[in-house]
Amino acid sequence: MTELPFRILVVEDEALVRDVIQSACDGGKNHIYSAGTIEEAEKVLKRNGADLLILDRMLPDGDGLQLCTKLRNGHEHRSLPVLVLSGKSDTSERVLGLRLGADDYLAKPFDIAELRARVDSLMRRSRDLSQSSYIKRRLWRY
Amino acid sequence: MTALPRRILIVEDDLTVRDLVRDVCDPDKNHVHLAGTIAEARKSLELKGADILILDRGLPDGDGLALCSELRNTPAFAALPILVLTGKGSTQEKVLGLNLGADDYLVKPFAVEELKARVESLMRRAETLSKSSYIKRRLWRY
């Protein structure tokens, strides 16, 4: 079965970091969108949707975790996988991020190979589960 | 909605760590099963199943990752959420673990609060996705 390309939204205001993240996410295989602020991220989500969100915290218009909470409390993006990538690396900050709805929290500076492996792991989980629900739907149908 | 108790399997040969992890998993609320070896873990999974697996690597009968990749290739456990908890903390080891099927990889020594937050996050993801597949099934049906 051919895998569909993933739509990955990268929310990061530093262009250099954004490029590194984009190259880790395999732009050749997946569709990568980027945003530099929370407001832009919301616009992109509305327009293009996303299958995975990589989210910085210290953005010009607020803490990325605000967006994370908002998505978790809404309907449309409640189950969107969110990986927070932030310089705020204390245990208490990581715990806060995970509690507010992040599926993973990676501290900066990060290793590209680890980011890629974590992104792959999140995508695999979404795929596996949607595939198994697909199979269940088929079984239900027939 | 009351949350159902989860079946959590902890695979860890160090008793001190095992007790600590068990406390994190809230044994009053959840069904916590324990195993000290890969063989015991297999048996426990077969007999009692699990909703989440917390897996050490340096076990008496092998590397926990061997079990992890085995489960990923077993249809009944392919979607079981797995958190690897280990002293092997290099990027290379983390990438290996995530690529072999771990959903999360936390390095010892770890903060109890972070382990708790990561377990919660993993369970939330698994539960949200299975709920949304349930809704999709309903929509399909009617």
Side-chain angles (χ1 to χ4, degrees):
Chain A
M1 195 163 102
T2 324
E3 286 176 346
L4 287 171
F6 252 66
R7 294 164 302 167
I8 302 176
L9 171 58
V10 180
V11 189
E12 168 67 62
D13 57 332
E14 267 182 70
L16 202 66
V17 183
R18 197 154 66 192
D19 289 348
V20 173
I21 301 171
Q22 285 189 354
S23 64
C25 293
D26 195 355
K29 222 176 64 186
N30 298 305
H31 296 310
I32 310 212
Y33 306 106
S34 59
T37 63
I38 294 176
E39 198 190 335
E40 266 178 47
E42 286 181 310
K43 256 184 220 161
V44 175
L45 278 173
K46 208 169 188 186
R47 201 173 51 227
N48 302 324
D51 300 307
L52 179 77
L53 178 65
I54 298 178
L55 182 62
D56 183 26
R57 286 190 56 185
M58 287 173 279
L59 294 161
D61 54 349
D63 186 332
L65 291 184
Q66 291 167 297
L67 176 62
C68 187
T69 314
K70 201 168 161 184
L71 296 175
R72 289 295 178 247
N73 291 327
H75 280 289
E76 208 179 338
H77 303 293
R78 180 172 287 177
S79 61
L80 174 67
V82 177
L83 183 147
V84 171
L85 189 62
S86 168
K88 292 179 191 264
S89 61
D90 293 349
T91 298
S92 60
E93 296 290 349
R94 290 205 294 262
V95 169
L96 180 70
L98 293 161
R99 291 245 162 93
L100 289 178
D103 295 295
D104 203 348
Y105 194 111
L106 187 58
K108 292 180 190 168
F110 59 93
D111 194 290
I112 296 181
E114 182 174 356
L115 174 63
R116 183 177 288 152
R118 288 190 179 272
V119 165
D120 284 345
S121 169
L122 277 176
M123 293 197 295
R124 182 179 56 220
R125 174 137 295 272
S126 306
R127 273 202 185 105
D128 283 353
L129 284 170
S130 56
Q131 234 165 57
S132 70
S133 75
Y134 171 77
I135 293 164
K136 275 186 208 145
R137 284 205 305 280
R138 299 269 303 193
L139 289 174
W140 181 286
R141 183 78 176 78
Y142 297 106
Chain B
M1 195 167 90
T2 326
L4 285 171
R6 296 146 176 175
R7 295 163 301 167
I8 304 176
L9 173 58
I10 302 168
V11 190
E12 169 66 68
D13 59 332
D14 183 322
L15 294 181
T16 319
V17 181
R18 202 202 281 185
D19 287 348
L20 188 64
V21 177
R22 194 194 50 207
D23 291 346
V24 167
C25 294
D26 199 353
D28 293 335
K29 228 177 61 186
N30 299 304
H31 299 306
V32 181
H33 307 302
L34 306 170
T37 62
I38 293 177
E40 274 176 38
R42 272 196 208 108
K43 212 178 276 174
S44 173
L45 284 170
E46 241 168 64
L47 293 176
K48 302 175 221 162
D51 299 309
I52 182 165
L53 176 65
I54 300 176
L55 181 62
D56 183 26
R57 286 192 56 185
L59 294 161
D61 53 349
D63 186 333
L65 291 185
L67 177 63
C68 184
S69 72
E70 185 185 307
L71 293 174
R72 287 295 175 245
N73 293 312
T74 310
F77 298 109
L80 174 68
I82 300 177
L83 183 145
V84 170
L85 186 62
T86 171
K88 294 178 197 269
S90 70
T91 298
Q92 208 184 348
E93 295 291 350
K94 283 187 209 166
V95 170
L96 182 69
L98 293 162
N99 286 346
L100 287 177
D103 293 294
D104 203 348
Y105 194 107
L106 186 59
V107 176
K108 294 177 192 169
F110 58 92
V112 170
E113 283 305 306
E114 181 169 4
L115 175 61
K116 191 181 255 173
R118 288 190 178 271
V119 167
E120 288 296 327
S121 166
L122 202 48
M123 292 306 310
R124 183 179 57 217
R125 165 130 302 266
E127 281 158 13
T128 314
L129 283 171
S130 60
K131 216 185 289 171
S132 74
S133 76
Y134 171 78
I135 292 165
K136 276 186 206 144
R137 285 205 304 283
R138 299 269 302 192
L139 289 176
W140 179 286
R141 183 74 177 81
Y142 297 106

